Amino acid sequence: MTTLAMDQAWGLSNLFSAFHSSGNDDVRPLSAGAGHSLPAAPPRRCRAIAVAGGKGGVGKSTVAVNLGMSLAMAGREVALLDADLGLANLDVLLGLQPSRHIGHLLDGSCSLGELMLPAPHGLKVIPAGSGARRLAQLDTREHAAVIRAFDELPDPPEFLIVDTAAGVADNVVMFAAAADDVVLVVCDEPASLTDAYALTKVLSRDFCVRRFHVVANMVRHAGEARQLYEKLARVCDRFLDVALDFMGAVPYDEHLRQAIRRQGAVVDLWPASRSARGFKQMAGAVDTWGEPLRTGRDRIAFFGGQVAMAPDPVREGGVR
Ligand SMILES: Nc1ncnc2c1ncn2[C@@H]1O[C@H](COP(=O)(O)OP(=O)(O)O)[C@@H](O)[C@H]1O
Ligand SMILES: [Mg+2]
């Protein structure tokens, strides 16, 4: 497990530079001499970040919306996928009126690009449809089809934030396992910690997910956030082969509730509020994460066509 020192390492300067980097590291030659062909541009890297937590009501959708919006406000290209199929609410949280949803993608009546709805600051939202029982009962093949649809996206974003449902069923774990990073949202309730642990266990044991970023939501002070993280880290460290780091804390904030009532993101409506500051710090931390730990040969991954999967050391018998 990573030590607490890891998250202490990102200081303000780091956050500041993270917010001001363009995210485009392409270095192109100024000119190419006659007879020299330009090197092929490296494929664009897209980072898929799943926001999960196991329990309902802990703030997964709130974190997904505000993390995505914070990145978009910092000039990054971001798409937000509502993967709470059948009980979707990102469109409601952002005051959007979708006419189509993931169900239309699956029945072939529209493309993924056509589903994307514009939200403030260039954020794009992929709605999932609410009240459609069929969407809540997709099988493995259909979940995989949704994930694979991202391979065909002609203009992929820099970040795909995936808002997942509650529980540990296929509709949650397949989307979380398909992402490069998993953010675990917890709050100060015993069931939140036990559900987050259960999800971590399933994802690590059955899907070889090895790294998790913990967000403590609705906290009253910084010490509470630390305690929550440490409680979860202690039990995961003892029983699971995973790395947990502390991504950040979001204070309990009335501004956030008011933003929800106004169908907007608190980082957009009240950027100086306590919760908005927490979200912006976390968005800055994303750039300090380093390369995604992609493992598992057979893994179905968002933008999986981009990189070869490394074999998982546990599955391959190298560890334990
Ligand atoms: N930091 C916070 N401060 C105050 N209220 C919050 C905070 N985070 C979430 N909430 C409240 O909790 C409710 C549930 O959040 P939501 O993101 O929908 O949870 P989930 O997606 O995990 O089910 C929201 O409607 C909001 O009112
Ligand atoms: Mg939700």
Side-chain angles (χ1 to χ4, degrees):
M1 175 181 307
T2 53
T3 60
L4 291 180
M6 203 179 137
D7 54 288
Q8 285 160 352
W10 39 276
L12 270 181
S13 57
N14 247 349
L15 291 172
F16 195 76
S17 60
F19 266 98
H20 287 82
S21 82
S22 69
N24 184 353
D25 297 329
D26 278 359
V27 180
R28 292 169 188 283
L30 288 174
S31 62
H36 294 270
S37 57
L38 285 171
R44 216 142 123 237
R45 295 299 306 272
C46 309
R47 191 164 200 141
I49 302 171
V51 181
K55 190 176 177 308
V58 293
K60 298 180 296 297
S61 301
T62 306
V63 169
V65 163
N66 284 284
L67 180 62
M69 189 72 82
S70 298
L71 287 164
M73 288 168 80
R76 316 299 286 267
E77 287 172 36
V78 187
L80 194 53
L81 168 65
D82 198 336
D84 196 347
L85 305 176
L87 265 184
N89 61 4
L90 291 190
D91 51 327
V92 180
L93 285 175
L94 288 167
L96 307 172
Q97 264 117 32
S99 54
R100 292 183 285 206
H101 54 67
I102 292 285
H104 296 95
L105 174 74
L106 286 170
D107 69 22
S109 59
C110 74
S111 69
L112 184 59
E114 287 167 337
L115 271 188
M116 290 191 172
L117 282 176
H121 302 283
L123 184 70
K124 291 184 178 138
V125 177
I126 303 151
S130 194
R133 273 184 72 220
R134 188 181 114 60
L135 277 182
Q137 295 165 343
L138 299 185
D139 60 25
T140 306
R141 200 178 42 83
E142 290 168 313
H143 285 126
V146 174
I147 294 162
R148 291 245 158 86
F150 285 82
D151 287 354
E152 311 300 323
L153 211 54
D155 190 16
E158 253 180 285
F159 293 102
L160 173 69
I161 311 286
V162 184
D163 180 30
T164 66
V168 290
D170 260 16
N171 62 330
V172 176
V173 291
M174 277 194 73
F175 286 113
D180 298 299
D181 296 275
V182 179
V183 170
L184 278 179
V185 183
V186 292
C187 67
D188 189 16
E189 282 176 32
S192 167
L193 287 175
T194 52
D195 289 3
Y197 175 76
L199 179 63
T200 308
K201 183 175 168 184
V202 172
L203 285 171
S204 60
R205 187 192 59 198
D206 300 343
F207 293 87
C208 308
V209 178
R210 295 281 169 254
R211 184 167 66 184
F212 298 84
H213 309 279
V214 179
V215 171
N217 188 27
M218 298 191 248
V219 296
R220 285 168 295 252
H221 52 83
E224 185 182 317
R226 276 280 166 208
Q227 281 166 11
L228 272 175
Y229 165 71
E230 280 165 18
K231 269 188 206 165
L232 185 61
R234 217 174 295 132
V235 64
C236 289
D237 201 20
R238 188 150 172 223
F239 298 109
L240 308 175
D241 181 23
V242 294
L244 255 70
D245 65 65
F246 180 63
M247 183 176 170
V250 185
Y252 183 91
D253 188 359
E254 274 305 323
H255 282 109
L256 190 149
R257 300 180 84 92
Q258 217 173 322
I260 289 173
R261 284 192 288 272
R262 283 218 206 165
Q263 294 187 283
V266 72
V267 290
D268 191 24
L269 297 180
W270 284 281
S273 63
R274 282 150 37 89
S275 55
R277 292 202 304 270
F279 287 122
K280 280 185 225 164
Q281 279 202 352
M282 290 193 293
V286 167
D287 278 328
T288 69
W289 282 351
E291 281 298 295
L293 298 177
R294 286 185 182 237
T295 56
R297 247 180 218 143
D298 312 321
R299 183 166 162 261
I300 299 163
F302 288 108
F303 312 108
Q306 287 186 67
V307 266
M309 302 294 152
D312 183 75
V314 174
R315 283 272 162 93
E316 302 295 312
V319 177
R320 284 203 291 205

